[in-house]
Amino acid sequence: MNDLTSKGLPRIVDLLSRCSSLKVLKLFKNRIDDDGAAALAEIFQRCPSIREVHLSHNRFTSAGIEAMVAGATNCRTREQEPLWLRVENNDVQKDRQGILLEELERRWKVCWRRPECTQFRCCIGSKVHLPFLDMNRERRENKDLAERAGVHLRARSEHPTGGGGGAGGGRHLEPPPGVWLSEVASSPEPPPLELRQNHHYRDRDGDDRGGTDRNRERERDRDRERERELG
């Protein structure tokens, strides 16, 4: 976001170390590389209350990511909630992302945020959540959960208002990126509309609900207003 490099991190660490109640740190879309991993690991030590660290779209390799995971794991107690650590879209080849995650799971007991987890609760007691690092695994898991719940995940290219209810009469749901379906899969009831705010939910008859209904209501209000003006 600010073209920040590893050279500027020591000053940031010094500033943040005075924020004893720091909970969220967002340094995504910068140019931070492995040289900054040690400084970021120091933040985990100086700011024990931190809950989220967003470092996607930087220049970390597998070595830098592991250094930060090690620092976070060593600084957090078992009683603390897991650190939400975003490190996707760095300098790790796509065919290596799954391998890296498996290595971190084995060495540091990280969790990729299983469907049974929540953002700040880990079902296996991990100290670090690494969401989105291996998107292929998450897509497979979401697909399996959706099938068990009778939910059809609509393709991104499919227009929200097009088509019918689909084969089998399954519910159509397009969750936003990074949303897991464990709540849907574990419940026999249809998901509440507010569960996916600002996203279209289409029932089995193919009718749009949610944002589209609000747009139609606004159009009806405008039509009634024009009729009053003309009347």
Side-chain angles (χ1 to χ4, degrees):
M1 292 176 67
N2 299 298
D3 288 331
L4 178 68
T5 67
S6 298
K7 292 182 180 179
L9 279 180
R11 296 180 62 184
I12 292 178
V13 171
D14 181 63
L15 175 64
L16 295 179
S17 64
R18 307 171 196 174
C19 305
S20 58
S21 60
L22 179 69
K23 295 187 181 300
V24 179
L25 175 62
K26 295 186 177 183
L27 294 175
F28 56 89
K29 292 186 178 179
N30 282 290
R31 293 186 289 129
I32 309 170
D33 56 20
D34 289 354
D35 291 338
L40 289 164
E42 189 176 348
I43 292 177
F44 303 147
Q45 182 177 4
R46 294 191 183 190
C47 306
S49 63
I50 197 162
R51 307 177 76 198
E52 303 178 36
V53 179
H54 298 253
L55 296 169
S56 63
H57 300 88
N58 276 284
R59 299 181 179 179
F60 296 106
T61 68
S62 298
I65 291 174
E66 181 166 4
M68 291 185 290
V69 166
T73 302
N74 291 331
C75 291
R76 299 182 84 79
T77 66
R78 291 188 177 278
E79 291 72 27
Q80 281 183 286
E81 57 200 5
L83 176 70
W84 185 258
L85 181 58
R86 296 275 305 264
V87 289
E88 74 275 12
N89 293 306
N90 275 277
D91 285 352
V92 180
Q93 295 296 324
K94 287 186 177 181
D95 58 355
R96 284 282 307 168
Q97 292 171 359
I99 297 172
L100 172 61
L101 183 56
E102 290 176 358
E103 292 174 350
L104 295 176
E105 286 178 304
R106 185 175 64 255
R107 294 174 186 170
W108 299 103
K109 309 299 181 186
V110 303
C111 177
W112 54 276
R113 203 287 194 182
R114 289 166 169 78
E116 297 82 8
C117 300
T118 64
Q119 183 174 3
F120 300 116
R121 183 191 65 78
C122 183
C123 67
I124 63 171
S126 174
K127 295 180 180 180
V128 178
H129 272 158
L130 286 177
F132 317 122
L133 183 57
D134 184 4
M135 286 303 300
N136 288 330
R137 181 194 289 193
E138 296 190 16
R139 290 189 186 101
R140 289 194 302 270
E141 187 66 28
N142 276 345
K143 182 179 179 181
D144 291 343
L145 284 170
E147 290 175 352
R148 291 200 296 271
V151 174
H152 169 69
L153 290 180
R154 190 169 56 218
R156 289 177 182 270
S157 60
E158 184 178 342
H159 193 277
T161 60
R171 285 176 282 133
H172 290 250
L173 181 65
E174 182 184 18
V179 170
W180 289 261
L181 295 173
S182 54
E183 301 95 336
V184 179
S186 62
S187 173
E189 299 296 328
L193 298 182
E194 58 269 19
L195 188 65
R196 301 292 183 261
Q197 288 181 349
N198 301 322
H199 287 262
H200 289 282
Y201 173 84
R202 189 168 64 198
D203 62 21
R204 67 181 61 196
D205 295 322
D207 293 326
D208 282 330
R209 301 169 64 184
T212 304
D213 280 349
R214 289 190 292 273
N215 291 337
R216 290 171 178 166
E217 184 62 31
R218 293 191 192 100
E219 291 175 2
R220 286 194 291 267
D221 289 341
R222 285 194 291 268
D223 289 340
R224 286 193 291 267
E225 184 64 28
R226 284 194 291 266
E227 288 175 0
R228 284 195 294 268
E229 293 175 355
L230 294 174

